[in-house]
């Protein structure tokens, strides 16, 4: 199909406007239409709140607000996705370029995943560009001073809002576990961490890089609260050291003497 506009999925990062990439700013400023997701028909778009301080405004650029309710029920969400894609495809069919701005990265727990799939189904030959963004998965360790992994460690990323029934097993099999979108699952998460003996290895961070940023290093202080969709917990076991384990251990007091004085195994 000829004459189609181009669809861009643009990650605007975790919250701080100056974490937008140069490419993201260029694409957002150049698009004919800014598609801006929001969680309700009367709410503001968080993506637009993030990008607006750094993206230049154009009088001829349309700002298209699209509602995607925060729900795990497909029957509730599907009509909103269909309505959003219908509006986006209408613009694309008229040859207009559309930049869909999404918090974090377009490929990670983003509504753009559904929009892209459905738009390609409806408009064969549609050109799609994905502009990656800084994710909360890396922003949270940055603001909290954590390390996600070194040379040997394994990471699991889970959306806690979809349940934590298998969390105990995941905590045993992975060195670092990132729980996104905590929502109402906080009591179950802390219970699982307590059973695994890892409550003291967990850090709670809400709205990383935003002015409202909150970091809690003792989860007992946050156990009774309801985490928002910008809340995350990072659990680091710290048991698998990585490529430099030998050097790290050799630098500890007494390590050299132990290595020299212990007899070799016969």
């Amino acid at each position: 199909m000829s004459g189609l506009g181009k669809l861009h999925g643009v990650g605007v990062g975790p919250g701080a406007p100056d974490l937008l990439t140069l490419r993201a700013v260029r694409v957002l400023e150049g698009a004919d239409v800014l598609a801006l997701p929001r969680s309700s028909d009367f709410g503001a778009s968080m993506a637009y709140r993030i990008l607006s301080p750094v993206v230049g405004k154009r009088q001829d650029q349309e700002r298209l607000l699209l509602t995607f309710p925060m729900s795990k029920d497909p029957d509730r969400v599907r009509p909103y996705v269909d309505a959003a894609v219908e509006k986006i495809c209408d613009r694309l069919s008229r040859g207009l370029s559309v930049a869909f701005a999404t918090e974090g990265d377009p490929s990670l727990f983003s509504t753009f995943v559904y929009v892209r799939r459905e738009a390609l189904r409806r408009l064969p030959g549609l050109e799609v560009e994905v502009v990656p963004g800084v994710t909360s998965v890396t922003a949270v360790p940055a603001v909290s001073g954590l390390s996600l992994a070194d040379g040997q460690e394994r990471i699991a990323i889970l959306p806690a809002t979809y349940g934590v029934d298998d969390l105990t097993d995941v905590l045993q099999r992975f060195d670092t576990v990132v729980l996104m979108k905590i929502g109402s699952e906080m009591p179950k998460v802390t219970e699982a961490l307590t059973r695994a003996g890892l409550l003291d290895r967990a850090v709670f961070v809400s709205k990383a890089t935003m002015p409202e940023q909150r970091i809690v290093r003792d989860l007992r202080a946050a156990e009774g609260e309801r985490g928002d969709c910008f809340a995350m917990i990072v659990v680091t076991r710290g048991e698998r050291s990585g490529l430099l384990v030998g050097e790290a251990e050799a630098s500890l007091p007494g390590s050299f003497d132990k290595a020299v004085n212990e007899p070799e195994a016969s």
Side-chain angles (χ1 to χ4, degrees):
M1 185 181 294
S2 61
L4 289 176
K6 186 175 180 179
L7 175 62
H8 307 265
V10 184
V12 300
D18 58 352
L19 287 178
L20 266 76
T21 66
L22 295 174
R23 180 178 296 184
V25 173
R26 175 176 58 79
V27 171
L28 292 167
E29 289 181 340
D32 298 311
V33 181
L34 281 185
L36 304 169
R38 58 182 179 178
S39 59
S40 74
D41 290 334
F42 307 101
S45 168
M46 176 59 73
Y48 187 68
R49 172 188 164 185
I50 294 171
L51 69 87
S52 58
V54 293
V55 174
K57 297 177 176 60
R58 288 172 33 206
Q59 294 298 321
D60 61 337
Q61 185 181 62
E62 179 186 5
R63 291 197 289 274
L64 179 63
L65 289 168
L66 303 169
T67 299
F68 298 92
M70 303 292 291
S71 173
K72 294 180 288 185
D73 182 359
D75 292 333
R76 171 166 163 72
V77 175
R78 183 73 202 194
Y80 287 92
V81 173
D82 288 341
V85 174
E86 186 71 30
K87 294 176 182 178
I88 289 173
C89 287
D90 172 66
R91 273 74 174 173
L92 294 169
S93 298
R94 289 190 271 131
L96 301 175
S97 60
V98 178
F100 187 101
T102 179
E103 301 146 23
D105 182 274
S107 302
L108 184 64
F109 300 131
S110 167
T111 49
F112 181 72
V113 173
Y114 309 116
V115 169
R116 175 183 184 174
R117 182 185 304 143
E118 186 62 20
L120 286 169
R121 188 186 70 81
R122 297 188 187 192
L123 300 174
L126 174 66
E127 185 178 359
V128 180
E129 177 190 11
V130 174
V131 180
V134 176
T135 76
S136 56
V137 173
T138 52
V140 164
V143 301
S144 60
L146 297 172
S147 295
L148 282 181
D150 60 17
Q152 299 289 335
E153 293 172 320
R154 298 164 296 176
I155 303 174
I157 302 173
L158 306 176
T161 48
Y162 284 82
V164 294
D165 294 339
D166 60 346
L167 179 56
T168 301
D169 179 56
V170 172
L171 289 167
Q172 294 299 322
R173 292 191 295 113
F174 290 87
D175 306 290
T176 300
V177 176
V178 179
L179 289 163
M180 303 180 66
K181 304 178 184 294
I182 298 300
S184 60
E185 299 294 331
M186 187 63 133
K188 293 181 180 179
V189 170
T190 54
E191 180 184 347
L193 290 172
T194 301
R195 287 199 308 268
L198 292 170
L199 192 63
D200 293 329
R201 305 293 302 177
V203 176
F204 172 91
V205 180
S206 176
K207 298 184 178 179
T209 78
M210 300 183 193
E212 309 94 326
Q213 173 181 293
R214 182 179 176 217
I215 301 173
V216 180
R217 301 187 186 277
D218 182 356
L219 257 63
R220 298 171 187 85
E223 187 174 1
E225 72 176 64
R226 177 187 175 90
D228 54 45
C229 64
F230 295 98
M232 289 177 52
I233 291 175
V234 179
V235 188
T236 54
R237 297 179 64 91
E239 294 175 358
R240 292 162 61 93
S241 298
L243 296 176
L244 303 182
V245 56
E247 295 182 17
E249 289 180 347
S251 67
L252 294 174
S255 298
F256 179 76
D257 292 338
K258 179 180 179 183
V260 171
N261 295 328
E262 283 187 352
E264 293 183 6
S266 56

